[in-house]
Amino acid sequence: MKKVFADAQAALDGLVFDGMTLMAGGFGLCGIPENSIAALHKAGVKDLTVISNNCGVDGFGLGVLLDAKQIRKMISSYVGENKEFERQFLSGELELEFNPQGTLAERIRAGGAGIPGFFTKTGVGTLIAEGKEHREFDGETYIMETGLKADVSIVKAWKADPQGNLVFRKTARNFNPMMATAGKVTVAEVEEIVELGELNPDEIHTPGIFVQRLFVGSFEKRIEQRTIREREVA
C-alpha cells in the first residue's frame, strides 16, 4: 500500500464528506495537524463532528474551521481559548459534548481498542452524569462512558517511515497516538520521513498498521500565550 502523499490535500482526497466525524490530535496548539486542518478548510467540508481536546484559538488551528461554520458539534474537554467558540455555543449555533479530560482520553483509547464502554467515578454527581448508566462496584458509584471512533483521524508526528510508523516529540505526543488508533482512516502529517529501518523499533509510538496515509508538512508551531519574565537588573 502506498502511504506517502505529496501534501495534505492529496492525503485527504476521497476521505472527507459533509457530516463526517473527525478526530484531530493536539493539546492547545501543541502537536496539532495544521496542514490537514487547512486542507479541510479549503475543501469546504461542513457539518463536522470534531473530537479534539480543544478547538484551537481564534483564527488558527481548528478555530479556522469554526470561523468558517464548518463544525456542527465539538466533543472536547477544554474550550477556554476561543471567543468564537463561546459565541457560537451561547447562541446555539454549535453543539458541545463536554468531557473531563481523562474521560475524553480514555473514550478515545477505548474506541481504538474496540471497547464499546467503560465505567468511571469521574463526573458522578455532576451534570456529566445525567442520563448515563450508574453502577456500583465495591460500594462506590460509577457512570458508564462510551468509546469514541471517527471516520478520519488527523494527527501530527515528528518522524515517520514509509510504512507509517510514527514517533512523536515530547509533549506533542498528547492525544495523537490514541487518536491514530480510533479512526477508520488515519492521516498523519510529519516533519520528516526517514528511510525504512532507520527508526528504532523500541522508540515507535504508533505502529504503521494504524496509519493509512502520511505526508511531510510545513509547520508554524504557534504559541497560544507567551509569558516573558522581565530581565533582572544586576
Side-chain angles (χ1 to χ4, degrees):
M1 177 189 292
K2 176 195 172 186
K3 293 189 177 183
V4 181
F5 288 75
D7 53 30
Q9 185 173 352
L12 289 167
D13 184 46
L15 299 180
V16 299
F17 55 92
D18 292 348
M20 69 183 289
T21 298
L22 177 78
M23 281 190 186
F27 185 97
L29 296 182
C30 179
I32 66 170
E34 301 175 27
N35 299 270
S36 296
I37 292 169
L40 287 166
H41 178 237
K42 185 176 181 179
V45 62
K46 59 184 185 296
D47 293 328
L48 299 173
T49 294
V50 178
I51 302 166
S52 186
N53 179 67
N54 55 289
C55 197
V57 296
D58 293 291
F60 191 67
L62 288 171
V64 173
L65 301 182
L66 196 67
D67 290 343
K69 305 292 183 66
Q70 292 173 263
I71 300 176
R72 178 185 63 82
K73 179 179 179 179
M74 285 295 304
I75 301 176
S76 301
S77 71
Y78 177 69
V79 296
E81 300 295 332
N82 196 311
K83 295 187 186 303
E84 178 61 14
F85 191 112
E86 177 185 11
R87 189 199 66 76
Q88 289 190 24
F89 174 66
L90 293 177
S91 67
E93 300 172 46
L94 178 70
E95 293 181 47
L96 171 62
E97 186 176 326
F98 216 30
N99 296 258
Q101 196 165 79
T103 299
L104 179 65
E106 182 62 10
R107 291 184 72 189
I108 296 166
R109 191 200 69 80
I115 298 170
F118 60 92
F119 286 89
T120 176
K121 289 179 67 176
T122 305
V124 172
T126 72
L127 291 174
I128 294 293
E130 290 186 0
K132 295 177 181 176
E133 180 182 345
H134 288 58
R135 190 176 296 184
E136 284 199 6
F137 296 90
D138 298 324
E140 299 284 347
T141 301
Y142 292 74
I143 56 174
M144 191 180 79
E145 297 282 359
T146 55
L148 291 171
K149 295 183 285 188
D151 296 301
V152 175
S153 289
I154 52 174
V155 301
K156 191 268 178 181
W158 179 33
K159 293 182 180 181
D161 65 21
Q163 288 188 345
N165 295 303
L166 304 181
V167 176
F168 301 92
R169 181 169 168 77
K170 299 185 178 181
T171 55
R173 192 168 169 182
N174 51 61
F175 282 83
N176 281 297
M178 64 192 77
M179 287 188 172
T181 70
K184 293 178 182 176
V185 178
T186 292
V187 177
E189 54 187 78
V190 301
E191 297 184 33
E192 180 184 4
I193 297 178
V194 302
E195 294 297 324
L196 198 62
E198 190 172 330
L199 296 179
N200 183 337
D202 286 336
E203 296 176 353
I204 291 171
H205 298 128
T206 296
I209 193 171
F210 293 111
V211 180
Q212 285 72 45
R213 301 185 181 189
L214 70 149
F215 64 93
V216 175
S218 176
F219 303 95
E220 289 187 48
K221 298 184 181 180
R222 291 193 196 180
I223 297 174
E224 291 170 79
Q225 297 182 18
R226 187 186 298 272
T227 302
I228 301 175
R229 185 173 61 187
E230 291 186 9
R231 186 184 299 274
E232 295 181 5
V233 179

